[in-house]
Amino acid sequence: MFKPVIRHLAYSKPVIRQLSYSKPVFAIPKKTKLPPRPKWLIIEEELDEKFLKGGRGPGGQKINKTNSKVQLTHLPTGIVVTCQLTRSQEQNRKKAREILALRLDDLQNPETSRNAVIQDRKSKLKLSKAKKSNRKYRKLEEEKEEENDTEELDPEAEFDQFVASINKPTPKDSST
C-alpha cells in the first residue's frame, strides 16, 4: 500500500537518510490549488448580450423597473446564461461571463475543468467525513461491547464465588 521513499538530505557533512512513506493518490486538493478560472475562453464577438428587467432577486420593487438582469448567449454553442445576483448591471455582467466561461470549460475539458475539480474535491471531502464518522462510531461500539463483555457474568459462577468467600476460614478461626 505505502511505498517507502528514501531522501538524502545534505544539510551538513554527514548524509542523513530520511525514511517517509508516500501517501495514496486520494489527496484532496486545497482551495488555493484549484485550476484558474477560464476567462480566456470568452471572445466578445461570439457573445450576444441582452439586458432584461428582472423579476426575482434582491432589489425590491426597483428590480422590476431597471434592466439589471444580464442574458448572455454564446453564438457558436448556443449556451444561454442569465444572471441577476445583484442590483448592479456591471456586477451581473461580470458574473455572467464567469459562469459562461466555466460552462465552456466544462464542454472543452470535462475531466479537468474547474467545475469537475471542485465537484471531485467536494465528493472526496464528503467521503473523508463519512469515514471519520464511521471510525468514531465503530470505536464507540467496540467500547460498549467491551463494557458489556466485562459486566456479563454467569449467575451460577457469581453465586459460587459468594459461597466460597463465606466458607473461607478467617485468620481468627484457624488459630483456635
Side-chain angles (χ1 to χ4, degrees):
M1 185 169 162
F2 291 113
K3 298 177 183 177
V5 178
I6 299 174
R7 295 186 183 115
H8 296 284
L9 304 175
Y11 293 120
S12 59
K13 287 187 180 180
V15 175
I16 301 170
R17 293 183 81 196
Q18 180 185 13
L19 184 66
S20 67
Y21 290 93
S22 61
K23 294 185 179 179
V25 188
F26 184 71
I28 299 172
K30 293 184 179 182
K31 282 187 175 180
T32 57
K33 301 293 181 186
L34 294 175
R37 288 188 168 86
K39 296 177 184 174
W40 62 88
L41 294 174
I42 294 182
I43 301 170
E44 291 296 323
E45 291 80 36
E46 295 178 348
L47 295 180
D48 181 29
E49 185 174 39
K50 294 179 186 172
F51 302 105
L52 309 170
K53 291 184 178 171
R56 296 184 186 164
Q61 290 179 346
K62 186 166 174 105
I63 202 73
N64 300 327
K65 302 174 187 174
T66 58
N67 293 332
S68 61
K69 186 175 187 178
V70 178
Q71 182 179 20
L72 288 179
T73 306
H74 189 248
L75 298 174
T77 59
I79 296 176
V80 177
V81 174
T82 58
C83 181
Q84 184 194 351
L85 294 176
T86 65
R87 291 167 55 173
S88 167
Q89 189 181 64
E90 202 56 39
Q91 289 176 357
N92 288 336
R93 287 180 74 205
K94 184 178 178 182
K95 189 63 181 172
R97 280 171 169 68
E98 285 181 15
I99 294 169
L100 180 64
L102 288 173
R103 288 202 185 158
L104 290 173
D105 191 30
D106 284 343
L107 274 178
Q108 287 184 355
N109 313 320
E111 290 87 26
T112 59
S113 68
R114 183 177 172 89
N115 282 343
V117 172
I118 289 172
Q119 288 298 334
D120 186 43
R121 181 179 190 278
K122 283 182 184 178
S123 65
K124 285 182 180 179
L125 281 173
K126 189 174 182 180
L127 185 63
S128 174
K129 286 181 182 180
K131 282 184 179 179
K132 185 176 181 181
S133 177
N134 287 341
R135 278 194 303 262
K136 174 184 172 183
Y137 287 110
R138 191 178 318 122
K139 183 179 176 185
L140 288 173
E141 286 295 322
E142 288 172 0
E143 289 175 0
K144 279 185 180 179
E145 287 177 10
E146 288 176 11
E147 236 178 66
N148 290 340
D149 290 344
T150 58
E151 289 179 3
E152 290 181 21
L153 289 176
D154 184 24
E156 291 180 20
E158 195 173 326
F159 180 72
D160 290 341
Q161 284 179 345
F162 176 70
V163 170
S165 66
I166 292 176
N167 291 337
K168 274 189 181 177
T170 58
K172 293 180 184 177
D173 292 340
S174 61
S175 63
T176 56

